[in-house]
């Protein structure tokens, strides 16, 4: 292994290769490294590394297909997070994801189930009408001669009919 | 911080909705329609079309006239009274809730004497019809509906 140059450091040579030194220092090193074997080798190595690096960058840039960029961006946006401006629920119900409709559906379901629990049955406030008679007669007390209990066919409407005669 | 406020607002909203719902179950809106049914004509009052179609499937009457209509917001064990033609009175009293039905005590008096008493379990938002007393060449029909408030 060659003995390193005692006049200029690696950093000086590196900056020389990159043309970052003042003109006077640059000219001094240019005159020096022609006669200094370690510096000449160091300059050659730095330039070789630089050329390899630049070639790699060029390959990456050349391999970049600008036509597919917009497609990739659109795909990313489509699969990425959906944000809804003015979403008052924010991340409050993370359980339901970030879709506002899912959140609203979830809240509605919770409300319906909660109300049903309070009312004792799911159908209390959603009376569908046709299941069972409209009224169940549990007790009748009368001295009248006749009483009939009738249920209509169509809507199962309960009728109590009595005669006073 | 914003999310915390949102959470508090939502849960308080749900809480008050439930409390309001629970507190609102202590009244029963009861509607009573007093109807005169006869065969004298073919007239049906506009407000009686639904009930008359049910009654016509069972009875021969062709005329249904609304004589009286009364709406009462009754608490449980609170009696609502409706004066009827022919010195009769109808008393309706919601007793309690049984599932999705309202238990009613219904009494009819004539000349202050009880002539008919019944207990029914009326489906919420539905109605029952009680009828039969003779009146002006026809009969009296009482349609009673109830809905929990």
């Amino acid at each position: 292994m060659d003995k390193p140059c005692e006049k200029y450091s690696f950093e000086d040579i590196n900056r020389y290769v990159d043309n970052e030194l003042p003109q006077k220092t640059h000219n001094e090193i240019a005159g020096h490294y022609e006669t200094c074997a370690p510096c000449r080798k160091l300059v050659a190595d730095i330039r070789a590394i630089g050329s390899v690096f630049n070639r790699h960058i060029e390959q990456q840039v050349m391999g970049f297909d600008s036509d597919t960029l917009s497609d990739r961006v659109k795909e990313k946006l489509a699969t990425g997070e959906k944000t809804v401006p003015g979403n008052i629920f924010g991340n409050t119900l993370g359980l339901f994801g970030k879709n506002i409709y899912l959140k609203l559906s979830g809240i509605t379901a919770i409300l319906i189930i909660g109300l049903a629990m309070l009312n004792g049955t799911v159908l209390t406030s959603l009376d569908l009408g046709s299941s069972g008679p409209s009224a169940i007669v549990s007790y009748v007390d009368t001295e009248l001669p006749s009483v009939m209990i009738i249920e209509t066919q169509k809507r199962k409407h309960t009728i109590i009919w009595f005669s006073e005669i | 911080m914003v999310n915390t406020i949102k959470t508090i607002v939502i849960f308080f909203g749900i809480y008050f909705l439930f409390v309001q719902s629970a507190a609102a179950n202590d009244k029963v809106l009861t509607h009573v329609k007093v109807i005169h049914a006869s065969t004298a004509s073919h007239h049906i009052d506009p407000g009686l079309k639904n009930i008359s179609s049910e009654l016509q499937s069972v009875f021969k009457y062709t005329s249904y006239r609304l004589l009286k209509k009364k709406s009462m917001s009754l608490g449980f064990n609170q009696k609502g009274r409706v004066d009827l033609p022919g010195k009769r009175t109808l008393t309706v009293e919601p007793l309690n809730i049984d599932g999705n039905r309202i238990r009613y005590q219904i009494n009819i008096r004539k000349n202050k004497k009880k002539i008919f008493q019944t207990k029914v379990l009326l489906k919420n938002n539905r109605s029952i019809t009680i009828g039969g007393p003779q009146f002006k060449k026809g009969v009296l029909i009482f349609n009673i509906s109830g809905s929990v408030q």
Side-chain angles (χ1 to χ4, degrees):
Chain A
M1 187 175 176
D2 295 338
K3 191 179 174 183
C5 176
E6 293 179 0
K7 191 175 181 182
Y8 295 104
S9 67
F10 173 81
E11 187 181 345
D12 293 334
I13 300 300
N14 198 28
R15 292 180 68 188
Y16 162 75
V17 172
D18 291 339
N19 294 319
E20 292 176 348
L21 293 171
Q23 190 61 45
K24 185 183 174 188
T25 311
H26 181 89
N27 292 339
E28 284 176 5
I29 292 177
H32 167 78
Y33 98 94
E34 293 290 341
T35 58
C36 176
C39 287
R40 197 163 53 246
K41 185 174 185 309
L42 191 56
V43 169
D45 289 343
I46 291 170
R47 283 178 175 162
I49 291 170
S51 66
V52 169
F53 181 76
N54 288 336
R55 195 161 51 245
H56 178 72
I57 294 294
E58 281 178 10
Q59 284 174 350
Q60 290 293 314
V61 172
M62 293 298 285
F64 174 73
D65 186 0
S66 61
D67 293 338
T68 61
L69 176 63
S70 61
D71 293 339
R72 290 171 64 184
V73 169
K74 285 175 186 173
E75 186 183 345
K76 188 73 179 173
L77 286 173
T79 56
E81 293 180 356
K82 292 178 181 176
T83 55
V84 180
N87 177 4
I88 61 166
F89 299 107
N91 292 324
T92 305
L93 296 175
L95 178 67
F96 302 104
K98 295 192 174 182
N99 187 310
I100 183 68
Y101 300 109
L102 279 177
K103 284 179 185 175
L104 289 174
S105 304
I107 291 167
T108 307
I110 289 169
L111 289 176
I112 290 172
I113 292 167
L115 289 171
M117 287 170 68
L118 284 169
N119 288 333
T121 174
V122 173
L123 295 177
T124 299
S125 58
L126 302 171
D127 186 11
L128 300 178
S130 58
S131 60
S134 69
I136 299 167
V137 181
S138 58
Y139 165 82
V140 174
D141 181 17
T142 181
E143 293 179 357
L144 299 173
S146 68
V147 176
M148 288 188 296
I149 299 171
I150 305 162
E151 183 183 306
T152 62
Q153 280 190 335
K154 197 160 60 175
R155 294 195 68 226
K156 297 186 176 179
H157 181 74
T158 304
I159 301 167
I160 302 176
W161 200 260
F162 63 85
S163 172
E164 288 180 333
I165 300 171
Chain B
M1 182 63 183
V2 174
N3 281 342
T4 307
I5 293 170
K6 286 176 187 174
T7 307
I8 291 169
V9 168
I10 288 170
F11 281 97
F12 267 89
I14 293 169
Y15 172 77
F16 282 118
L17 186 64
F18 284 1
V19 168
Q20 174 106 12
S21 173
N25 277 344
D26 58 358
K27 290 276 184 183
V28 180
L29 185 60
T30 305
H31 301 283
V32 177
K33 291 177 183 173
V34 181
I35 303 160
H36 181 239
S38 70
T39 54
S41 66
H42 285 79
H43 173 82
I44 296 172
D45 279 345
L48 300 176
K49 281 185 179 170
N50 285 339
I51 183 65
S52 66
S53 68
E54 291 297 309
L55 297 175
Q56 281 179 317
S57 68
V58 180
F59 301 116
K60 60 182 179 181
Y61 305 109
T62 53
S63 169
Y64 293 89
R65 292 180 188 275
L66 183 64
L67 301 180
K68 192 175 199 174
K69 185 178 177 181
K70 189 171 183 179
S71 297
M72 298 166 282
S73 182
L74 300 172
F76 290 105
N77 302 307
Q78 181 185 355
K79 291 177 182 173
R81 181 176 148 163
V82 181
D83 292 325
L84 304 174
K87 295 183 179 177
R88 298 179 182 90
T89 57
L90 171 73
T91 308
V92 289
E93 179 185 0
L95 300 174
N96 53 39
I97 297 284
D98 188 344
N100 65 335
R101 293 178 182 269
I102 307 158
R103 181 173 279 108
Y104 271 104
Q105 171 77 48
I106 302 171
N107 298 334
I108 297 174
R109 290 171 183 264
K110 185 175 182 182
N111 295 322
K112 297 183 180 178
K113 183 187 173 187
K114 283 182 182 175
I115 60 167
F116 182 81
Q117 300 177 77
T118 185
K119 276 184 186 171
V120 298
L121 280 163
L122 179 64
K123 209 173 214 182
N124 192 28
N125 298 316
R126 295 290 302 275
S127 70
I128 182 172
T129 298
I130 300 173
Q134 299 291 314
F135 183 70
K136 288 185 179 178
K137 296 181 181 178
V139 292
L140 291 174
I141 292 172
F142 319 118
N143 180 253
I144 301 159
S145 63
S147 57
V148 178
Q149 288 181 302

